[in-house]
Amino acid sequence: MDIQWPLLVFGVLAGLSMGCLGFVCAFILAGKAESLRMPGVVIALAAIAAGGLASAFHLGNPDRILYILGNLQSGITQELLATAVAGVLIVALCIALVKKASPAVLKTLAVLGLIAAIALPFITGEAYVQGARPAWNTLFLPIMYVGAAFAMGALTMTVLSRIKHVDDADRTLIGRASFVAAIICTVTVVLYVSAVALAPYPDPSRSIDRLLSGDLALLFWGAAVALGLIVPLALTAMQAFGKQPQAKGGTAVLSRPSVLFVGLVCLVAGSVAIRSIMYLLGSSVQSFIY
Amino acid sequence: MTTHRMIVDLDRCIGCHSCTAACIQENEIDLGRFYTKVINVGPTGTYPNVEEYYLPVKCQHCETPTCVKVCPTGASYRREDGIVLVDHNKCIGCEYCIMACPYGVRSRNDRLGVIEKCTLCAHLVDDGKNPACVDICPGHARIFGDADDPASEVAQKLASAGDSLHRLADVGNTPGEAFLLANQTWRS
Amino acid sequence: MNAVSRRSFVKAMAASGALATAAALGYEAWKPFTALAADDAGSAQTEGETQVIRSACRNCYGRCTINGIVKNGRLVRVEGRPGTYSEGTICSRAFAIPQLVNSPLRVRYPMKRVGERGEGKWERITWDEAWDIIIPKFKEVIEQYGGHTILANNGTGRDQLNISVLQKCFYDMGSVGGFGVGSICKIAGDFVQKTTIGNPCQFTGWNPEDTNLIVMWARGMFSWGYYDWIYIKKALDRGAKLMVVDPRHTAAAAKSTMWVPIRPGSDMALILAIINEMISSGRFDKDFATKWTNSSFLLNDETGLLLRESDLADGGSKDKIAYWDEGTGSVQFWDTVDLAWSVDDPKPALLGSYDVEGIERRTSLQKLADAAAEWTVEKTAETTWLTTDQVKDAIELYIESSPGTCFTRGQKTDFSDNSSSVSHAFTIMMALAGNYEIPGGNSVKPGTSTKGSALFDAVPPKSAVRQEIEANIDDYSMCPGKAQVYGIRDGVYSAATHALTTGKPFQPRIYWGMNCEPIISCADSLEVAEGLKNIDFSVNVNLLMSPSAELADIVLPAAHQNEIDRIEYPQSGHCWPANHTATIRQPFTEPQGECRDEVDILFDLASRLDIDMTWKDKYDWFNFALKATGMTFEEFREAGEFVDEITYGKHEKGLLRKDMKPGFETKTGKVNIFSEELQRFGWGGIPGYREQPQSPFSDPDLAQEYPYVMLTGGRNHQYFHSEYRESAYMRSIRPFPVVEINPETAHENGVEEGDWVCIETTMGSIKQVAHLTEGIDARVVHCDHDWWFPEKGAQDGLHGAFDSNPNAIIDNDKVFDPAVGTDNFSSMCRIHKSPDGPPEGIFTTPEELSAFLSNGQEDQQ
């Protein structure tokens, strides 16, 4: 299948959004990193709005968008609902933070938000799980979406933690969490790629050889792996295990927000790459006419 | 009950694409898009010991169609008589049904922004006629009728075909149509 | 599950998902809901009068019966018409009819060239203005140079009336033909059959109804008269077998019981091997051979002909031919005029040699047996690239199934310098096996023979001019001394081409091309184009501005075949019952613009040149042709068809000869195992093998550089020769010319499925798209023939006539068959991936194809 850019952009932005939302909710529940909560929510809102707008470009008749509520069994219907719920929660959190709502309200919203933060990426990925497309027909695909969201959120927070004032303990915690996220993200990618390798109805169009040594090798090794996994792993490892505070030494540059932002960009690029590969491997069981 | 079914006898199909052209004419499909196509399966083997058959494919009007299951607006639906259709007034062109179809037989009409595929010429069937691809087939390969009527050719062929009856891959969609192939090995 | 072959075309053609999304970015995607819904319903047909007209399709030789649906005077669709031999079926080509009738590319008015030949600049003129240019030119040339310098060319012979009327008109003014569609068609073989068995019956005449075995030889696909497959399938389901002899694994081969993948050009070896086995093992129809063939006739080695009474004694009759009578132990005679043996209970010896007046004389069959003896299984296998098992199996299957085997072939065995002998050999093979005039065999005179006539039978008398030319044909022919069996008919294309470019044996002055395309269809397209470019005056009667039309001075608009009246009689390729049925073809709509039936144009031309056409118009001609049926043309139109019954044993019942005597319509009255005509005008009275020039056997040095046999001409389902490249539907289904290559060969040359490939011979290079298939020998490639690109301009190589057309790289300088003038088309080639993709300027996406669609206004200018 050709890369469905509007959907891909939606998926990545929704992932970024939910990652940020998830971390903000976690901060609220753990009582940490107060200064990062508002920026996190704003980024989450912007990302999900942009993502939603992008996805509308995919439709043949976007004016009929409300018809989407017609079939609750449909992955797209579920996605729309989950996105709407997530959007509402983000806005609610935003208001709650601005209005300095009570801890009880905040905690409730945070719990709901955390659920949404995991659910939406999962639902987005799960919508692709089809018997018709063997390279997509695995739960490791939505799990990979969740892993990516986690990592994107984590790295975004890491960047923010270098811009905003955050105390050292929180910063270290965020650093460690981002390393864990990078590892989890890597594991989910490996699991997904393995599932593709073992998928039934083998066909050259979705063969693992395309990634490892074929026409998609550059995209896979160069973008998905090197940029999307290795760079974030290296940078977050520094954050997790490097000396704190890093006032001196060459490694200090690795904690600059600009560098960490580049790391985030690499992570996102890698996520775009692996999703592109997912589409390009997404041939149907028997591609007779299309 | 009426269940409209089409089965194709591959021992009769000679791959002439008359059905492809008849369908384009009947359904006024834009150039370059097809509801049905004929695929060469083979030659399989090594020259000169080869086998080849021709496989006319189109929507299989599945019994538990995944395209219907995934359609967010309910535009994709299955009629009582088994024909799976797309309601142009509800379709938003999200292409989810295209993703859900294991056979790659759906496509988007860019002009209307909706998804289209073989309709089993429901407009002709409802008028008591055969789908456009049936009568013109020079092999008389396409057999259409009411599978619930034991006297129909379709029902009889389905009942008697035995090992010669084949279906395309089933990933939970339960294809409604079938193929007869007795003289060669089925590879689809 | 290998869908790759089709998908690679689809990928090139279909709008990708990404592009579709881009299109949706346009404002149309944001229109309010109601407008879109209304648009959707807007494709419903407007109210108006709808007519259903019954007729026949002429897009190939099939004549499938069709109905045209006409709305408000406009042909909108075609449908199959059931109740006839085609049982309501049609092939994909039929759907191209409304597209061509309404095509924006169609020539609808007389056109006069302004600018150089091939520049593509034309202005519209009136019919009167056109005749005012044409007639004086004709008169001037006839007077100054003679009528034989006028070339008249017709296209494929599906519309037999076109050919008959063209020949009547032009031969009567002195023409000796044109490029000769017969040089690339089965007509050559037909003429040979007239001398060997009396009637053409190798294409049509086969009767699978009760057959044991159907032999399809070099007739790969059911590509004309697809409905033949209905009858073949019935026979197969009944237990009959199908043997397909073809270098390619076609649809026929895919359905066959036995595929015989013979080396291109080596067919004669297998035929002789079959004959050899039949005679050596004595497994042939001795009764038929004795009574109804000239097997027993003795040969006169001095004259090279049959031994006549006049050779043996003074005052002996030259109409009496000698044979050895085993009953009386003496030489006896067969009288070819009285059709009688000289003894009451003749026992002619089939084989052996006999002492007649001191000289050993062989029987005709013995001479054949001696010649065929070298074709052992081993030698045949080596020559044909078959295994010894394949050869043995083919021979045995044929012999065991006979009598009761029917035979049909395609044209490719007529594309050699040995066509006459091959046609002869097929006749012998079927005759010795006893397969004629029996159930399950071949009818010798199929068609509406007893009740009515093929239009061939409506033969008008010849003018004095024509008679003079035929009496002195060598003084006027473009190939003096050659093609005598083929006769004055059509001409020989390589001779015509050379005459145009060299002025030898004379310089043609006028070319009248009528619904034909010699630049595309004849070998050495470039030389043909050069010749046509330099001729004094040229008129093209055509539906489109084809390559040769662009080189004309005047183009006259031809009516489409479904805008005119014809009798569609059985003529080519069909099995029973189609080969005994004539059906009506009548207009769906009136000719558009100022188009006219070519036949009407010819009658008009004749009348302006004072040529007596015998009949005043085509209806007069039809009525004459239908006389034996007792119907007028209008009554035939009403009836829609008439069907003859099949009669077996027509040779015994006197139904094959004009004099109604038992026997065959040949000079001897028998099937000629030894042919005097071929002895005089062909390679010899007994068929022999000829290795074709430019083959791996005949030119191994060439094969070093050009290792693959380039086979061409295999049919496909969307096109017919050079036709339908202007059809959007056909181009969307089969967008590009395809070269079939064995995967091993492709791999060796770095070629992958879907690549544009350069195919090169010593003459040049063409481009086609590769399709890899195990259905062809690794030493052979097959190219689609007759491709041109209407979307390209006249100045772009005459609409891309030389881009992908194999005829552009096949030469026409080789020896041709002396009896019928056919030439060898196979060549040796090499292949490599095209460095710059497809030919420039051709349509490669479906959006571009919409330029071929009608906008509904073309006929209202």
Side-chain angles (χ1 to χ4, degrees), chain C residues 189-429:
Chain C
D190 281 358
F191 276 82
V192 171
Q193 288 162 71
K194 284 194 165 176
T195 67
T196 53
I197 191 170
N199 295 90
C201 53
Q202 280 169 12
F203 255 50
T204 193
W206 49 300
N207 303 317
E209 219 187 17
D210 297 303
T211 199
N212 300 327
L213 170 70
I214 302 162
V215 176
M216 291 185 91
W217 199 300
R219 184 182 164 171
M221 307 177 95
F222 310 101
S223 200
W224 63 86
Y226 278 74
Y227 52 78
D228 279 343
W229 168 237
I230 297 172
Y231 304 99
I232 296 175
K233 187 70 169 82
K234 278 194 196 143
L236 293 178
D237 287 343
R238 211 191 359 93
K241 300 201 170 100
L242 172 64
M243 176 161 96
V244 169
V245 183
D246 196 310
R248 301 162 66 222
H249 195 257
T250 60
K255 304 298 192 211
S256 69
T257 319
M258 181 186 290
W259 175 38
V260 184
I262 200 165
R263 173 170 70 97
S266 69
D267 309 84
M268 181 64 103
L270 183 59
I271 309 170
L272 290 173
I274 293 173
I275 292 173
N276 182 24
E277 178 61 25
M278 280 202 285
I279 301 178
S280 339
S281 64
R283 293 183 293 161
F284 63 98
D285 189 335
K286 299 191 175 109
D287 192 55
F288 184 85
T290 310
K291 282 202 196 124
W292 301 107
T293 78
N294 71 354
S295 294
S296 61
F297 293 7
L298 300 175
L299 293 164
N300 182 341
D301 289 332
E302 279 134 52
T303 61
L305 301 173
L306 294 167
L307 184 66
R308 291 170 157 74
E309 195 186 45
S310 51
D311 298 331
L312 294 172
D314 287 337
S317 164
K318 60 173 174 42
D319 297 328
K320 290 193 172 145
I321 307 192
Y323 74 94
W324 184 264
D325 189 86
E326 280 174 333
T328 60
S330 61
V331 170
Q332 293 296 328
F333 300 92
W334 163 261
D335 189 319
T336 60
V337 171
D338 294 338
L339 297 180
W341 303 95
S342 55
V343 295
D344 279 337
D345 185 21
K347 292 203 168 25
L350 284 176
L351 289 161
S353 93
Y354 302 90
D355 179 33
V356 179
E357 295 182 358
I359 303 177
E360 287 289 308
R361 318 274 191 182
R362 283 182 295 177
T363 65
S364 295
L365 191 65
Q366 186 60 54
K367 183 168 169 127
L368 175 65
D370 293 341
E374 72 174 294
W375 292 100
T376 59
V377 168
E378 290 69 30
K379 183 180 165 103
T380 304
E382 197 201 316
T383 305
T384 58
W385 284 353
L386 296 166
T387 63
T388 50
D389 278 343
Q390 282 170 325
V391 173
K392 270 191 217 144
D393 291 344
I395 295 173
E396 284 309 305
L397 180 57
Y398 180 73
I399 295 178
E400 277 164 22
S401 310
S402 305
T405 294
C406 63
F407 174 92
T408 180
R409 69 170 175 89
Q411 278 135 287
K412 287 302 290 189
T413 55
D414 277 349
F415 278 55
S416 81
D417 65 17
N418 200 21
S419 309
S420 53
S421 299
V422 170
S423 175
H424 187 195
F426 280 134
T427 299
I428 295 172
M429 183 183 93

Side-chain angles (χ1 to χ4, degrees), chain A residues 65-285:
Chain A
I65 205 155
L66 288 179
Y67 286 36
I68 289 179
L69 299 171
N71 176 12
L72 285 174
Q73 261 201 313
S74 161
I76 286 189
T77 306
Q78 293 159 6
E79 254 184 61
L80 179 64
L81 286 173
T83 305
V85 165
V88 163
L89 283 171
I90 294 172
V91 168
L93 254 177
C94 205
I95 296 171
L97 285 171
V98 163
K99 293 250 164 93
K100 296 203 197 312
S102 71
V105 168
L106 274 175
K107 282 212 153 76
T108 311
L109 286 174
V111 167
L112 293 173
L114 194 54
I115 294 172
I118 297 170
L120 180 55
F122 189 88
I123 290 172
T124 306
E126 221 256 337
Y128 288 104
V129 176
Q130 307 275 358
R133 312 249 161 202
W136 298 355
N137 196 22
T138 166
L139 275 180
F140 291 130
L141 179 59
I143 288 173
M144 183 176 79
Y145 271 54
V146 175
F150 187 16
M152 284 193 271
L155 258 174
T156 308
M157 292 303 140
T158 309
V159 172
L160 284 176
S161 73
R162 296 284 169 184
I163 299 173
K164 294 279 186 182
H165 175 72
V166 171
D167 66 46
D168 283 347
D170 285 351
R171 188 177 288 138
T172 308
L173 192 60
I174 290 168
R176 290 207 175 116
S178 68
F179 179 61
V180 169
I183 294 201
I184 288 179
C185 180
T186 304
V187 167
T188 62
V189 170
V190 169
L191 285 173
Y192 171 64
V193 170
S194 310
V196 170
L198 299 170
Y201 301 109
D203 186 86
S205 61
R206 41 186 181 266
S207 155
I208 206 69
D209 292 330
R210 289 185 73 186
L211 277 71
L212 301 182
S213 56
D215 59 317
L216 300 178
L218 187 61
L219 192 62
F220 178 66
W221 293 113
V225 172
L227 291 182
L229 299 176
I230 297 188
V231 164
L233 273 171
L235 281 176
T236 54
M238 286 299 342
Q239 293 301 303
F241 304 112
K243 289 205 186 99
Q244 299 285 355
Q246 289 153 339
K248 348 184 225 269
T251 53
V253 74
L254 294 172
S255 295
R256 285 215 201 121
S258 51
V259 173
L260 290 167
F261 181 73
V262 167
L264 172 63
V265 169
C266 288
L267 174 70
V268 170
S271 198
V272 168
I274 195 69
R275 287 164 212 238
S276 301
I277 289 171
M278 177 210 113
Y279 281 108
L280 293 171
L281 293 183
S283 48
S284 52
V285 171

